[in-house]
Amino acid sequence: NAGVTQTPKFRVLKTGQSMTLLCAQDMNHEYMYWYRQDPGMGLRLIHYSVGEGTTAKGEVPDGYNVSRLKKQNFLLGLESAAPSQTSVYFCASSYRGNTEAFFGQGTRLTVV
Amino acid sequence: SQQGEEDPQALSIQEGENATMNCSYKTSINNLQWYRQNSGRGLVHLILIRSNEREKHSGRLRVTLDTSKKSSSLLITASRAADTASYFCATVSTRKTSYDKVIFGPGTSLSVIP
């Protein structure tokens, strides 16, 4: 089992460009999450999904969109990247919302 | 705002010593979880303690939970250099105005000196 896989691992964007981060899990988990991690801030929840076809806003959703068309995939989109979105992005999944979460290895995004 | 806050922000100890990290949170919880993150890697789940539990053990890890004080502690006994990492507490609140979700604190950076 691969667990949670994120692509890409690194990306540099210019301000105003768009991109999509892909998260895939093979554990048949219902819940999937996107977090961003910034120095001294811990992990902040961007958006999450409680099942196929559903999405919900987290703590810092502005500037991001998500989609969960298939149970195993959770996509995070940046329509118009800004330098403030420079961060490390982590995807996670869990069986339910109150069970342990499994994390991907992260995507390091730099917006210049 | 973040649910959990770890204390201290950074901790440096000698190999073989015990390391204690604390976590305080603001609202009622369903459970509290501790995670470890090695530099440049994703988070790894260590232990989950439910709101009706007071103490839990896993190998060299001991977690306590005091719901009256809204706090938890993680004790790592006989630390090793390989324990060097950041440690995060995460909470699942009992609020029913939204779906259950895991909210993380800012973390404690632990350095174990050989």
Side-chain angles (χ1 to χ4, degrees):
Chain A
N1 284 349
V4 179
T5 304
Q6 291 181 232
T7 53
K9 290 184 171 52
F10 302 93
R11 184 73 186 267
V12 178
L13 283 180
K14 293 183 179 179
T15 298
Q17 286 186 319
S18 63
M19 77 164 294
T20 300
L21 282 66
L22 172 64
C23 177
Q25 54 97 1
D26 61 3
M27 295 171 282
N28 202 35
H29 284 165
E30 292 294 333
Y31 280 63
M32 296 188 75
Y33 312 83
W34 277 107
Y35 294 90
R36 59 177 289 173
Q37 185 175 32
D38 302 293
M41 299 292 291
L43 277 79
R44 292 182 291 171
L45 182 63
I46 304 171
H47 287 280
Y48 63 110
S49 168
V50 303
E52 181 179 313
T54 74
T55 63
K57 293 181 179 180
E59 301 169 278
V60 289
D62 294 342
Y64 305 94
N65 56 76
V66 288
S67 64
R68 183 109 180 260
L69 298 180
K70 293 183 179 180
K71 187 176 184 179
Q72 62 267 34
N73 295 336
F74 194 31
L75 279 63
L76 177 71
L78 285 74
E79 290 186 349
S80 180
S84 61
Q85 294 177 304
T86 293
S87 187
V88 181
Y89 291 86
F90 286 98
C91 175
S93 71
S94 62
Y95 178 60
R96 289 198 176 97
N98 59 359
T99 57
E100 67 176 285
F102 294 80
F103 280 78
Q105 291 301 296
T107 296
R108 186 172 295 276
L109 175 66
T110 302
V111 182
V112 297
Chain B
S1 62
Q2 289 170 336
Q3 168 75 312
E5 293 282 339
E6 291 91 342
D7 170 56
Q9 290 185 340
L11 180 62
S12 183
I13 59 174
Q14 296 288 329
E15 202 167 27
E17 294 180 336
N18 295 342
T20 300
M21 288 159 270
N22 302 299
C23 172
S24 60
Y25 57 92
K26 297 176 182 175
T27 64
S28 296
I29 60 170
N30 175 288
N31 67 63
L32 185 144
Q33 304 173 31
W34 285 91
Y35 290 78
R36 183 187 73 229
Q37 183 182 34
N38 291 94
S39 181
R41 307 296 296 273
L43 279 73
V44 174
H45 182 265
L46 295 176
I47 199 163
L48 181 153
I49 186 165
R50 293 183 173 81
S51 59
N52 61 354
E53 298 175 310
R54 291 297 168 257
E55 188 170 312
K56 209 161 184 181
H57 297 257
S58 177
R60 294 183 296 111
L61 306 180
R62 172 178 170 252
V63 169
T64 61
L65 179 65
D66 186 335
T67 53
S68 67
K69 295 181 179 178
K70 292 187 169 58
S71 67
S72 173
S73 67
L74 170 67
L75 168 68
I76 304 174
T77 60
S79 63
R80 305 166 182 169
D83 294 328
T84 294
S86 291
Y87 292 82
F88 296 88
C89 75
T91 55
V92 178
S93 74
T94 56
R95 287 171 53 192
K96 292 307 176 188
T97 57
S98 63
Y99 298 113
D100 286 342
K101 50 189 178 291
V102 183
I103 301 296
F104 287 82
T108 291
S109 176
L110 173 66
S111 296
V112 181
I113 303 167

